[in-house]
Amino acid sequence: MSLIIRKATPEDAAPCGQICYEAFLRISSEHNFPPDVPSPEHSVGLLRMMFSHPGFYCVVAQQDGCIVGSNCLDERSSIAGLGPITVDPKVQNSRVGRELMEALLTRAASQNAPGVRLVQAAFHNRSLSLYAKLGFDAREPLSCMQGPALRLSIEGYSVRKAQPADLDACNRLCHAVHGHHRGGDLKDAIEQGTATVVERAGRITGYATVLAFFGHAVAETNPDLQALIGSAESFGGPGILVPTRNSELFRWCLHHGLRVTQPMTLMTLGLYNEPAGAYLSSILF
Ligand SMILES: CC(C)(COP(=O)(O)OP(=O)(O)OC[C@H]1O[C@@H](n2cnc3c(N)ncnc32)[C@H](O)[C@@H]1OP(=O)(O)O)[C@@H](O)C(=O)NCCC(=O)NCCS
């Protein structure tokens, strides 16, 4: 059987989105978890955006002329973000996933990305093993959390919509916490109108691209992050990705009615700095 890996085009989004939906539905239902993607239309739309966006490098796997999987690399910021990787359930566990991963790790190296990050479904033995074999280290257990909007504010912390002029301050903050910034992702979120910042004592002390599975947040302290979480009108997708070892934040979310929907793991390859502040991970962006 011939397997080729090639660059994805927007026309590939329909078959790849269908595979993406089926692959996640299969693995999630086998473990009694809700699917990450609610419908094939969602995954087709997501992959169409990623396959068309100049900041992403995406590939498809084609076996004997048929598309059997895809994978994406988010190149908008210095640390590349990998995923979603999905392989047609009919051909899983026969090296297609490894080939899709290796193609993007080669790409990341060719672009001199200092590091690559991904978020792994902690209950999935196969993806965990594959990523570890390819050199990814498990860095942080994450709890995906969902629930009704908290609708709370914290005295002394004011939350507002982020503006383009906030980008530099947010990037400096992200750099101070993570050792690199994610300005590419944040710029898109500001343009889309989903990003928020929190201000304390007249300066920006935290931001969120969106309070959702697909958004990240960075803050100087837990109360800064709590102010951002407290102001969200809802939590998009399966929920926000809270670092479980940040016990204070994790318990605060639990006390405010959020529930854990699934365990996940932040994995990285290459440059990684132990965060010097509070943050929420994102599944992709
Ligand atoms: C995860 C996924 C992309 C992997 O693709 P795949 O084609 O099935 O995987 P591959 O056959 O290329 O690689 C699996 C590797 O894990 C190894 N493996 C599988 N199960 C294992 C286990 N329980 N323990 C140890 N190793 C295991 C295999 O031996 C293989 O290693 P090798 O390449 O060194 O031989 C695919 O299974 C999928 O689409 N799953 C559903 C969606 C998903 O979970 N996506 C990832 C989100 S984090």
Side-chain angles (χ1 to χ4, degrees):
M1 276 195 280
S2 72
L3 178 70
I4 60 161
I5 306 291
R6 62 162 174 81
K7 194 166 186 300
T9 68
E11 292 69 46
D12 297 319
C16 292
Q18 186 65 36
I19 290 171
C20 180
Y21 174 72
E22 283 168 16
F24 279 120
L25 182 66
R26 167 80 69 95
I27 185 70
S28 299
S29 3
E30 276 172 5
H31 293 81
N32 240 356
F33 284 103
D36 286 359
V37 202
S39 69
E41 291 71 34
H42 273 83
S43 44
V44 170
L46 174 68
L47 292 185
R48 182 165 292 122
M49 184 283 286
M50 295 174 88
F51 291 0
S52 322
H53 194 300
F56 289 82
Y57 184 86
C58 304
V59 288
V60 300
Q62 220 169 292
Q63 200 165 56
D64 297 331
C66 279
I67 289 179
V68 290
S70 64
N71 199 5
C72 289
L73 194 67
D74 179 353
E75 300 183 324
R76 292 174 298 170
S77 300
S78 56
I79 301 288
L82 201 145
I85 174 172
T86 50
V87 172
D88 187 333
K90 293 194 278 300
V91 301
Q92 284 178 7
N93 219 13
S94 59
R95 289 184 72 84
V96 176
R98 174 178 273 273
E99 298 277 344
L100 283 166
M101 289 295 290
E102 285 177 345
L104 292 191
L105 295 182
T106 303
R107 164 74 182 186
S110 76
Q111 299 301 105
N112 298 318
V116 183
R117 65 164 197 284
L118 59 81
V119 169
Q120 186 261 341
F123 55 82
H124 193 355
N125 300 344
R126 191 186 305 150
S127 63
L128 174 66
S129 309
L130 176 63
Y131 303 156
K133 280 177 169 176
L134 290 168
F136 282 85
D137 295 323
R139 293 296 187 181
E140 189 68 46
L142 303 169
S143 291
C144 183
M145 303 189 79
Q146 184 56 279
L150 310 191
R151 301 195 192 290
L152 63 84
S153 54
I154 303 179
E155 206 183 320
Y157 299 75
S158 68
V159 177
R160 62 166 172 81
K161 224 176 212 330
Q163 304 298 328
D166 300 323
L167 196 56
D168 285 349
C170 292
N171 286 347
R172 278 196 299 278
L173 174 62
C174 188
H175 202 280
V177 172
H178 287 300
H180 57 85
H181 69 71
R182 296 181 65 174
D185 324 20
L186 178 58
K187 186 167 172 291
D188 278 358
I190 293 175
E191 279 167 17
Q192 286 154 12
T194 62
T196 48
V197 295
V198 55
E199 288 175 313
R200 172 165 47 87
R203 60 191 188 84
I204 290 177
T205 50
Y207 75 86
T209 54
V210 58
L211 271 301
F213 201 49
F214 294 98
H216 75 271
V218 184
E220 284 183 6
T221 66
N222 281 337
D224 294 312
L225 199 45
Q226 287 157 359
L228 288 165
I229 296 170
S231 73
E233 280 168 18
S234 63
F235 305 108
I240 52 174
L241 293 169
V242 179
T244 314
R245 291 185 311 157
N246 185 343
S247 309
E248 183 186 273
L249 180 68
F250 181 44
R251 268 194 287 271
W252 182 87
C253 291
L254 290 170
H255 286 317
H256 284 86
L258 299 191
R259 294 178 66 81
V260 178
T261 55
Q262 61 169 299
M264 308 199 87
T265 306
L266 173 66
M267 300 184 79
T268 67
L269 184 149
L271 180 73
Y272 179 76
N273 303 299
E274 203 52 48
Y279 71 100
L280 299 177
S281 277
S282 69
I283 194 76
L284 296 176
F285 311 139

